[in-house]
Amino acid sequence: MSLRVAILISGSGSNMVALARSMQGDHPARPCLVLSNRPDAGGLARASEMGIPTAVVDHRPFGANRAAFEGALQEALAAARPDLIALAGFMRILGPDFVGAHAGRMLNIHPSLLPKYRGLDTHARAIAAGDSEAGCTVHEVTPALDDGPILGQARVPVLPEDTPETLAARVLPMEHRLYPLVLRRVAMGDKTPITLP
Ligand code: GRF
C-alpha cells in the first residue's frame, strides 16, 4: 500500500511537478492531493494534467483569522488522508496547532542553506553577504519558521555577476533533484540527511 502524499503550493508548482513525477514505479508513495491557498496558482492546472486531485482554500476571505484558514486547510487535507505533507512553494506561515497536528510528517523546501537566511529574499541576502555558495534545504516543519531538522541540502556556487534571479535559476534545478530524493528516503522510513552534490 503506497503512502499518500499531499503537496501544498502557492505558485507555479515546479517542485510539486518534480515530486509528483518521482512518485512512480517502485516508489513507496503516491501524490493524493495538490492543495493551494491561491485559486490562480499555476501548479493547479499542472497537477490536474497529471491526474492528481486538487483543492483550493483561498486564504484571502479569512483575513487575519489564521485559525479559521488553517481549520479549512485541515478539512481539505483530512478528506485526502495524507500520510505525508510536502510544502512546495507554499507561501503561508503555518501556526503551531496546524504544524503540531502533522508533527514529523510535514516537509518543506527552503531556498537557502539553513540555518542561514530563514524567511524571504534568501538569494539577495546571500549575494549581499558575499557568500561563495548558496543552495536549498529540505527540512521537517516545526512551529519555528524554517527551523526544523534538516533532511537534505544542495549547494551551488555564487558567481560574482550573480543577481537574485540568476542565483535562483541555478538553485531551482537542485531543488527539483533534492526534494524527490528526500521524499523517497523519508517515505522509506529513513531520515538520514542527504547532501548534494
Ligand atoms: C522555490 O524557490 C522554493 O524554494 C520556494 O518557492 C519557490 C517556487 O517554488 N519555496 P515552485 O516553483 O512553486 O515549486
Side-chain angles (χ1 to χ4, degrees):
M1 190 70 176
S2 299
L3 289 180
R4 299 168 62 85
V5 178
I7 306 171
L8 274 61
I9 67 170
S10 296
S12 63
S14 70
N15 275 289
M16 175 277 295
V17 170
L19 291 173
R21 284 181 176 155
S22 74
M23 287 186 266
Q24 301 185 31
D26 66 351
H27 194 297
R30 290 295 185 273
C32 65
L33 178 68
V34 170
L35 173 57
S36 179
N37 64 297
R38 296 186 57 95
D40 60 347
L44 290 168
R46 299 171 85 175
S48 295
E49 288 161 14
M50 298 173 79
I52 304 169
T54 62
V56 174
V57 178
D58 189 340
H59 66 276
R60 292 170 299 183
F62 296 95
N65 190 342
R66 181 210 294 264
F69 168 60
E70 293 183 358
L73 275 185
Q74 292 285 36
E75 280 180 31
L77 281 170
R81 298 179 288 108
D83 301 295
L84 291 170
I85 297 171
L87 306 183
F90 187 70
M91 301 309 281
R92 306 300 294 176
I93 293 175
L94 295 166
D97 292 344
F98 186 99
V99 172
H102 303 287
R105 302 187 302 121
M106 188 154 60
L107 312 179
N108 181 47
I109 190 158
H110 180 76
S112 79
L113 295 173
L114 292 173
K116 295 182 81 170
Y117 313 128
R118 293 185 176 93
L120 300 173
D121 302 322
T122 60
H123 300 313
R125 291 156 66 191
I127 292 168
D131 292 353
S132 60
E133 61 178 12
C136 53
T137 302
V138 178
H139 63 94
E140 273 189 39
V141 177
T142 57
L145 180 68
D146 299 330
D147 188 50
I150 289 176
L151 297 170
Q153 288 197 311
R155 297 172 184 277
V156 301
V158 179
L159 304 179
E161 68 278 12
D162 264 332
T163 65
E165 292 71 27
T166 59
L167 183 50
R170 190 171 311 118
V171 172
L172 197 56
M174 296 302 284
E175 296 181 25
H176 298 160
R177 283 183 53 205
L178 179 67
Y179 213 169
L181 288 173
V182 171
L183 177 66
R184 183 185 183 104
R185 181 172 282 197
V186 168
M188 296 174 77
D190 180 357
K191 290 188 175 180
T192 309
I194 293 171
T195 301
L196 297 179

